Amino acid sequence: MKHVALSKLGLIRQSNQDRVLAIETPVGFLAMVCDGIGGGNAGDVASQMAVDYFKNSFESLKVLEDDRAVINWFDDSIKAINSKIYKKSMTDIDCKGMGTTVICLVIIQGRALGFNVGDSRLYDYRRQSLNLLSHDQTYAYMMYLENQITKEEADNHPDRNVLMNALGVHRHIEYETIRVPDGWERLMLSSDGLHDYVPLVEIERAFELDLDNTADVLMTKAYEAGGFDNISLVILKGDKDES
């Protein structure tokens, strides 16, 4: 599975609390982007704990037979690491209030499943069109889903970054399961340091380039937009596109 994974410090940030993961094993392919929250209160600890746990868990797998097996594995894993992060935030004063977003992608036997906690995102690209597959778990997006505001208002709302859900913040975790339609050409996971500042049309245009250049152009555009947040992404293309 050809892929590129990048995470860079924003221009006005003092530390990068984002973490990215992209690994391939005989079982399948796992990618993640985690955006730590909690400011000085160890958001980077939460995001690092998450990617470390999922990496070890995925590498220990012997087989994932089907979508149900993937969902069961993710469910067990997200509940376990949520408990670990939550307990650490409750017992370690330096980590009080920490948490992280999680956007996760698992590919087995050509089938792709995504999982979302927070406002990092999963996109697919097909037929020269970039499509958002995940749903932001934010206060503004909740108002949009309840028909209180329009999508355009949600995208520009002052509370568009106020999270309603994050890993490690509550004792119990909820997440979105995303069944990626077959036929995708590329998939992208991103933190809000990219998609909050670079317009969709510019992100989509970058996908006309080869994989490495797409990632480089997107990083450049995020910096040109001000680089107000850390910028992280994983982009991959399927084996069918290798020929």
Side-chain angles (χ1 to χ4, degrees), residues 26-27 58 60-66 69-70 73 108-109:
V27 170
F58 196 76
S60 71
L61 288 171
K62 303 301 183 186
V63 65
L64 285 172
E65 301 92 347
D66 51 26
V70 173
W73 166 78
I108 59 165
Q109 301 168 7

Side-chain angles (χ1 to χ4, degrees), residues 22 38 53 79 116:
Y53 187 90
K79 288 177 179 176
N116 177 45

Side-chain angles (χ1 to χ4, degrees), residues 27-81:
V27 170
F29 183 88
L30 169 67
M32 294 181 69
V33 168
C34 295
D35 183 352
I37 62 172
N41 291 337
D44 55 337
V45 174
S47 57
Q48 189 67 56
M49 286 177 66
V51 298
D52 286 347
Y53 187 90
F54 273 94
K55 179 177 184 292
N56 292 335
S57 177
F58 196 76
E59 288 180 336
S60 71
L61 288 171
K62 303 301 183 186
V63 65
L64 285 172
E65 301 92 347
D66 51 26
D67 289 0
R68 175 48 54 189
V70 173
I71 293 170
N72 289 342
W73 166 78
F74 181 85
D75 187 74
D76 290 343
S77 298
I78 198 78
K79 288 177 179 176
I81 189 56

Side-chain angles (χ1 to χ4, degrees), residues 6-205:
L6 295 174
S7 183
K8 294 188 177 182
L9 183 68
L11 296 177
I12 64 171
R13 296 287 177 143
Q14 306 216 339
S15 66
N16 187 356
Q17 298 191 343
D18 290 2
R19 296 293 185 272
V20 298
L21 174 66
I23 59 171
E24 189 165 12
T25 74
V27 170
F29 183 88
L30 169 67
M32 294 181 69
V33 168
C34 295
D35 183 352
I37 62 172
N41 291 337
D44 55 337
V45 174
S47 57
Q48 189 67 56
M49 286 177 66
V51 298
D52 286 347
Y53 187 90
F54 273 94
K55 179 177 184 292
N56 292 335
S57 177
F58 196 76
E59 288 180 336
S60 71
L61 288 171
K62 303 301 183 186
V63 65
L64 285 172
E65 301 92 347
D66 51 26
D67 289 0
R68 175 48 54 189
V70 173
I71 293 170
N72 289 342
W73 166 78
F74 181 85
D75 187 74
D76 290 343
S77 298
I78 198 78
K79 288 177 179 176
I81 189 56
N82 183 74
S83 178
K84 289 178 181 294
I85 295 172
Y86 179 78
K87 287 178 180 177
K88 187 171 181 63
S89 73
M90 292 293 104
T91 57
D92 186 338
I93 189 63
D94 293 330
C95 295
K96 184 175 177 58
M98 74 174 179
T100 184
T101 72
V102 175
I103 191 74
C104 176
L105 178 72
V106 179
I107 301 176
I108 59 165
Q109 301 168 7
R111 289 281 298 116
L113 278 171
F115 303 94
N116 177 45
V117 179
D119 64 349
S120 295
R121 290 182 177 178
L122 173 62
Y123 294 86
D124 83 343
Y125 180 77
R126 66 184 72 212
R127 295 186 291 276
Q128 300 179 308
S129 177
L130 191 68
N131 310 287
L132 176 60
L133 302 182
S134 57
H135 298 84
D136 292 351
Q137 296 172 347
T138 62
Y139 182 70
Y141 199 82
M142 179 191 71
M143 289 194 294
Y144 161 66
L145 292 177
E146 295 178 352
N147 297 315
Q148 296 179 27
I149 58 176
T150 67
K151 181 63 166 61
E152 183 178 358
E153 289 172 330
D155 290 340
N156 297 283
H157 198 278
D159 291 331
R160 67 184 181 276
N161 297 120
V162 176
L163 290 173
M164 302 297 290
N165 191 23
L167 181 67
V169 173
H170 304 291
R171 188 180 300 275
H172 301 289
I173 186 69
E174 296 183 358
Y175 57 89
E176 174 188 14
T177 300
I178 307 158
R179 296 183 182 274
V180 179
D182 294 336
W184 51 270
E185 298 170 29
R186 295 190 194 178
L187 296 171
M188 180 175 76
L189 299 81
S190 62
S191 67
D192 58 358
L194 174 66
H195 54 252
D196 264 14
Y197 300 101
V198 182
L200 180 66
V201 63
E202 293 189 25
I203 298 176
E204 187 174 75
R205 191 175 299 122

